[in-house]
Amino acid sequence: MSVFKQKVEYSFDRGSVNYDSYSKLQKDVLNELLYLFSQEFKDSKREKSLLELGSGTGESFKMISKKLSLKKIHLIDISKKMIDKSRIKILDKRVGFYHRDFDTLQNFGDFDLIFSNMSIHWSSDLSKLFKRILNTIKKNSYLVVSFPNSKSFNNIEQSQRKYINNFPEIGDLVKILDNDKFFFKLKEKVHKQSFRNFFHFLKNLKLTGANVSNNKISKSRGIFEIRNYK
């Protein structure tokens, strides 16, 4: 496992304690995502097998299971403590819990629905993972994902940008999709959340475990400088 992924695992292990209390953004995005893709399944009664990448504490699965008829279910997360927490929440014999880095998965052909809410951008190489999913996914299956993109946080001051991660370019992922082979829908939505100041925004990230930097160049982070940002 790379150093970056080790940091991600450690951070979300710590964040598992407070995640459900401080993950308002993730829950808002989840509700939006479930509404969008449930329209595709509203006339389908066939049971579906589910693979969730970055399943966290199990909130996504709990909501998906209310909308779909499911059979084989695999929940995967890089954080063992997130998986342990979801085991306590989800008492369902159909569910398999896996402490694993989704970047190590090679074949996605066993599932009707591959789902990821605000997690897939933690991939070490999202384009490579995206290609692998599309190359191995089976016919008539669905890939449903949400993630912050390169436009996220574009309203913050330039001096604060060094504290924000690099997020995927939508255009790069769309180029991978073959229009003759895949039908896809794309929706961008702005979610707003208020914080007293920039310091409390970063503190919220830390409480959920989402405070790992994916910037290639290490930047100094002065606590007193941060407190001055609005």
Side-chain angles (χ1 to χ4, degrees):
M1 187 184 294
S2 68
V3 173
F4 170 65
K5 281 305 185 74
Q6 288 175 1
K7 290 180 179 179
V8 172
E9 180 178 17
Y10 174 70
S11 187
F12 279 104
D13 274 349
R14 291 192 304 170
S16 64
V17 178
N18 299 297
Y19 188 85
D20 287 345
S21 299
Y22 290 90
S23 55
K24 180 181 183 303
L25 172 63
Q26 289 85 344
K27 291 171 184 174
D28 288 348
V29 175
L30 174 61
N31 282 324
E32 180 78 14
L33 188 61
L34 289 174
Y35 173 76
L36 288 173
F37 96 85
S38 64
Q39 303 304 301
E40 299 292 330
F41 293 143
K42 61 184 178 182
D43 296 325
S44 175
K45 296 181 179 180
R46 181 172 64 89
E47 286 188 329
K48 292 175 175 59
S49 53
L50 167 70
L51 170 65
E52 184 175 359
L53 308 179
S55 56
T57 63
E59 285 299 304
S60 297
F61 166 72
K62 286 173 62 179
M63 295 181 68
I64 293 172
S65 63
K66 294 176 182 178
K67 295 179 177 292
L68 296 177
S69 177
L70 299 171
K71 44 182 180 180
K72 180 174 68 174
I73 301 153
H74 285 195
L75 304 184
I76 291 178
D77 202 279
I78 196 171
S79 165
K80 184 178 183 302
K81 291 188 178 179
M82 286 284 196
I83 288 293
D84 289 343
K85 194 164 185 178
S86 63
R87 285 181 192 274
I88 296 172
K89 279 186 178 183
I90 302 169
L91 303 176
D92 190 323
K93 293 181 179 179
R94 298 171 299 168
V95 180
F97 301 89
Y98 301 91
H99 169 218
R100 188 171 177 182
D101 177 4
F102 53 61
D103 272 329
T104 65
L105 300 178
Q106 298 298 317
N107 194 309
F108 298 84
D110 292 336
F111 301 93
D112 302 304
L113 170 62
I114 300 164
F115 187 90
S116 182
N117 180 54
M118 297 295 283
S119 297
I120 203 168
H121 58 285
W122 290 109
S123 170
S124 296
D125 190 330
L126 181 54
S127 291
K128 186 179 291 186
L129 174 62
F130 205 61
K131 287 177 183 178
R132 194 158 63 246
I133 293 173
L134 295 178
N135 286 336
T136 60
I137 199 171
K138 66 182 180 180
K139 186 177 180 180
N140 296 324
S141 56
Y142 291 81
L143 170 62
V144 181
V145 298
S146 66
F147 52 87
N149 65 28
S150 57
K151 298 178 185 177
S152 301
F153 308 110
N154 60 2
N155 61 328
I156 67 171
E157 298 175 17
Q158 189 61 38
S159 57
Q160 298 170 5
R161 289 299 308 177
K162 63 183 178 182
Y163 300 99
I164 301 298
N165 278 0
N166 296 315
F167 295 116
E169 294 275 357
I170 290 290
D172 292 342
L173 297 182
V174 170
K175 287 177 184 176
I176 298 171
L177 289 160
D178 181 348
N179 287 327
D180 294 327
K181 189 175 182 181
F182 301 104
F183 170 75
F184 69 93
K185 290 184 177 180
L186 172 67
K187 181 171 183 179
E188 291 182 275
K189 186 177 175 91
V190 176
H191 290 266
K192 295 184 179 181
Q193 191 171 354
S194 297
F195 297 91
R196 279 190 287 166
N197 52 42
F198 192 67
F199 173 77
H200 282 89
F201 161 67
L202 295 179
K203 184 179 179 181
N204 182 273
L205 292 182
K206 185 175 182 179
L207 287 169
T208 61
N211 64 317
V212 182
S213 175
N214 67 6
N215 293 315
K216 300 297 182 183
I217 302 174
S218 177
K219 304 286 179 66
S220 61
R221 299 191 173 196
I223 189 70
F224 296 107
E225 178 188 45
I226 292 174
R227 285 185 181 276
N228 291 327
Y229 291 145
K230 302 299 181 184

